[in-house]
Amino acid sequence: VGSDTHLLAALGNELAPLTALDMGTGSGYIAVALALTGVACTATDISEFALTNAQELAQHNRCEVRFVRSDLFSHVSGRYDLVLFNPPFGHSQSVKMSRWLDVIKSMIPKEHPVVRRVVFELVRPARARMLERFLQQVLDHLQPGGSVLLFIHRREVTLTTGWRREVVATDREFRVVRLWPKTTHSQHYSESVI
């Protein structure tokens, strides 16, 4: 678990939501950290392997987390006070590219600044498409007054222009950005119905 995960979990707990969705949970650390403070937490991941490990972490910590296998919001239901997302870093839809990324990451730790820069440049187009999908779909899963915490590269902050935003923390080239919808939920719903 890296400093990015620790930071997002701590900031999520500071907001004290009643309900939270940990999108792309990976190790499950964020979901477990929130659940241990009494937050009703749902955690998703596209990887069955990641979900198994996250479930084991929740069981080990004797906390209740609802786990859902999902590609972003494809199998997510409900609305949440807080949605946290630390987009995958170092994955690619290209099998060949994924193998190269795995080699790079196995030789040098993820926290190394050169690795972070190289991997980010390799996956930037795919991450941008994923973040755009996420930002389009998350509105349907926020409670009125709810917000999003994103851990993203400083150059990805521009993808959030359709949102009210506040940079709440920095970690080298990365930012934790808190987002709120610019429109109210009723405006969003009436526009989506028309």
Side-chain angles (χ1 to χ4, degrees):
V1 175
S3 62
D4 50 350
T5 303
H6 286 280
L7 180 59
L8 207 52
L11 291 168
N13 270 324
E14 283 178 20
L15 295 174
L18 296 176
T19 60
L21 173 64
D22 178 14
M23 177 67 58
T25 193
S27 68
Y29 181 89
I30 293 170
V32 168
L34 291 167
L36 286 171
T37 64
V39 177
C41 195
T42 298
T44 71
D45 208 290
I46 195 169
S47 165
E48 193 66 45
F49 177 74
L51 286 174
T52 299
N53 288 335
Q55 288 169 331
E56 288 174 5
L57 182 65
Q59 289 170 353
H60 176 76
N61 284 278
R62 294 188 172 103
C63 64
E64 190 174 321
V65 176
R66 181 175 164 255
F67 291 96
V68 178
R69 186 166 185 204
S70 186
D71 178 9
L72 291 181
F73 295 96
S74 64
H75 293 96
V76 173
S77 61
R79 296 186 179 281
Y80 302 88
D81 298 320
L82 180 64
V83 177
L84 304 98
F85 189 30
N86 185 359
F89 191 74
H91 297 283
S92 172
Q93 293 190 351
S94 158
V95 173
K96 190 175 185 178
M97 183 66 73
S98 288
R99 287 187 186 138
W100 277 108
L101 293 171
D102 288 342
V103 168
I104 292 169
K105 291 189 304 183
S106 70
M107 295 179 351
I108 306 171
K110 169 184 155 180
E111 299 290 329
H112 193 282
V114 172
V115 171
R116 288 167 68 120
R117 261 192 303 268
V118 168
V119 171
F120 174 73
E121 288 304 322
L122 292 172
V123 301
R124 188 164 47 135
R127 269 179 64 101
R129 286 190 299 276
M130 178 182 31
L131 281 168
E132 287 168 352
R133 272 183 46 221
F134 170 83
L135 291 169
Q136 289 169 357
Q137 296 172 14
V138 71
L139 276 174
D140 294 330
H141 298 280
L142 282 178
Q143 290 279 15
S147 63
V148 176
L149 277 182
L150 275 179
F151 187 90
I152 54 178
H153 192 275
R154 64 178 172 76
R155 291 181 6 211
E156 293 172 323
V157 171
T158 59
L159 296 172
T160 66
T161 54
W163 294 75
R164 290 183 300 135
R165 67 179 179 235
E166 175 188 7
V167 175
V168 294
T170 61
D171 181 9
R172 295 176 286 266
E173 298 288 313
F174 290 82
R175 308 289 181 261
V176 178
V177 181
R178 186 172 181 198
L179 304 171
W180 299 269
K182 280 189 176 177
T183 60
T184 65
H185 280 286
S186 59
Q187 287 174 322
H188 171 68
Y189 296 134
S190 57
E191 289 171 6
S192 64
V193 171
I194 296 175

